[in-house]
Amino acid sequence: MGRHVWSSVAPAKERQCLPIRGECEKGTVYLVGAGSGDVELLTLKAARLLMQADAVVYDRLVEDDVLALIHPGAERYYVGKSRGHHSVPQADIGARLVTLAQAGKSVVRLKGGDPGVFGRMGEELASLAQANIKACIVPGITAASAAAASMGIPLTDRGHAQQLRFVTAQLCREGGAPDWAALARKDETLVFYMGLSKVEAICQSLRQAGLPDDWPVMLVANASQPEQRSLIGTLENMPAKLAAHPLPSPCLIVVGSVVSMVATSPAARSAGIVETVDPA
């Protein structure tokens, strides 16, 4: 059975409906991106699934406005992780998804941002595949897109960046640190996830790898949300700026000349930019 979302902005006679079609399938796990936090950036498909699912397994970085869309009768399971405090082991999350689906429930696995961007989705897909559980992936707006949009800049631009890389700053992969020489390019935008505690190391490593001291850097915390805050500086002065004006987690690190476009962008959300004086 189809459902509809009605526009409440236009006069009653001119209101139009957005068709939402489909129903959750029993025994299926939907890996859904909750987006960057702004409930209005949630996809229509994600909203429909939240309103229909029998059970929702959700992460820490999911806002209350999004959780409010969950059907009142649905089972809820919080499996959030924070740095240094993993409340539920990843293997247990996979096992729970399998158990719920095998019980004949339709299950939404709700992840902040996009489930396929540093969201451990591959591990959960592997658990479902091993148990022969059907899965469906619903993408969400990743933090990098939300941060760039709220700051009024593109992630790629013909005059600034012809390449874009998402990098996890956790440095936990085999082989240790990233290939800084390969990352130190002037024709691309770098976005570091989960790197707030590593800002100084990132800036120093990129400088040592060849990027100039005055290369633009931007930090954006709580992207797209009312409490969004940001710092704009350079590889040389950003560590001191952050020390003087700490930002909360989650926070993205954007490195590249596209950052220079914030100053002249008509789409920049200036209220969230923390004004600082360059350290001496």
Side-chain angles (χ1 to χ4, degrees):
M1 176 184 296
R3 301 193 182 189
H4 297 82
V5 173
W6 292 88
S7 168
S8 60
V9 178
K13 291 184 179 180
E14 299 177 10
R15 288 180 186 172
Q16 297 182 2
C17 61
L18 300 175
I20 299 179
R21 301 181 179 89
E23 294 288 342
C24 279
E25 294 185 20
K26 302 293 184 181
T28 298
V29 175
Y30 297 85
L31 300 156
V32 177
S36 56
D38 182 350
V39 69
E40 290 185 302
L41 295 181
L42 196 69
T43 65
L44 289 173
K45 187 168 187 176
R48 171 178 68 80
L49 292 170
L50 288 173
M51 290 186 283
Q52 295 175 342
D54 297 320
V56 178
V57 180
Y58 64 99
D59 279 347
R60 179 176 67 94
L61 298 177
V62 177
E63 293 299 306
D64 290 342
D65 287 347
V66 176
L67 295 177
L69 296 173
I70 298 174
H71 188 279
E75 301 174 18
R76 296 189 183 201
Y77 300 91
Y78 174 70
V79 295
K81 296 179 174 65
S82 59
R83 186 165 61 91
H85 300 280
H86 287 195
S87 60
V88 181
Q90 187 61 43
D92 291 354
I93 296 175
R96 178 166 305 225
L97 296 176
V98 169
T99 298
L100 290 170
Q102 288 178 334
K105 301 179 187 296
S106 55
V107 184
V108 164
R109 172 65 173 107
L110 190 62
K111 295 173 173 286
D114 184 279
V117 180
F118 304 127
R120 300 197 180 191
M121 185 181 74
E123 297 170 57
E124 293 172 8
L125 285 171
S127 296
L128 298 173
Q130 188 174 15
N132 199 30
I133 300 295
K134 184 178 178 181
C136 177
I137 300 169
V138 181
I141 293 179
T142 189
S145 296
S150 64
M151 296 301 291
I153 62 173
L155 286 169
T156 62
D157 181 85
R158 286 188 296 177
H160 291 272
Q162 294 79 53
Q163 299 186 103
L164 170 64
R165 289 202 226 190
F166 294 166
V167 185
T168 173
Q170 293 301 301
L171 310 183
C172 58
R173 63 179 176 82
E174 185 178 355
D179 184 348
W180 293 110
L183 294 176
R185 298 175 57 119
K186 291 186 176 181
D187 62 347
E188 72 179 10
T189 303
L190 298 175
V191 181
F192 292 89
Y193 284 66
M194 301 169 284
L196 186 59
S197 65
K198 298 178 174 66
V199 168
E200 184 172 4
I202 290 170
C203 290
Q204 181 179 0
S205 297
L206 289 173
R207 291 168 65 194
Q208 290 176 344
L211 285 180
D213 292 348
D214 62 354
W215 198 241
V217 182
M218 175 175 72
L219 307 187
V220 183
N222 297 313
S224 81
Q225 301 176 45
E227 60 270 28
Q228 174 177 306
R229 292 295 179 268
S230 60
L231 281 171
I232 297 174
T234 66
L235 289 177
E236 182 178 31
N237 66 27
M238 182 55 79
K241 282 194 170 189
L242 180 61
H245 300 269
L247 295 179
S249 180
C251 185
L252 284 182
I253 305 164
V254 182
V255 180
S257 65
V258 292
V259 173
S260 65
M261 300 172 71
V262 173
T264 58
S265 173
R269 184 183 295 177
S270 60
I273 300 177
V274 179
E275 298 294 339
T276 68
V277 177
D278 289 350

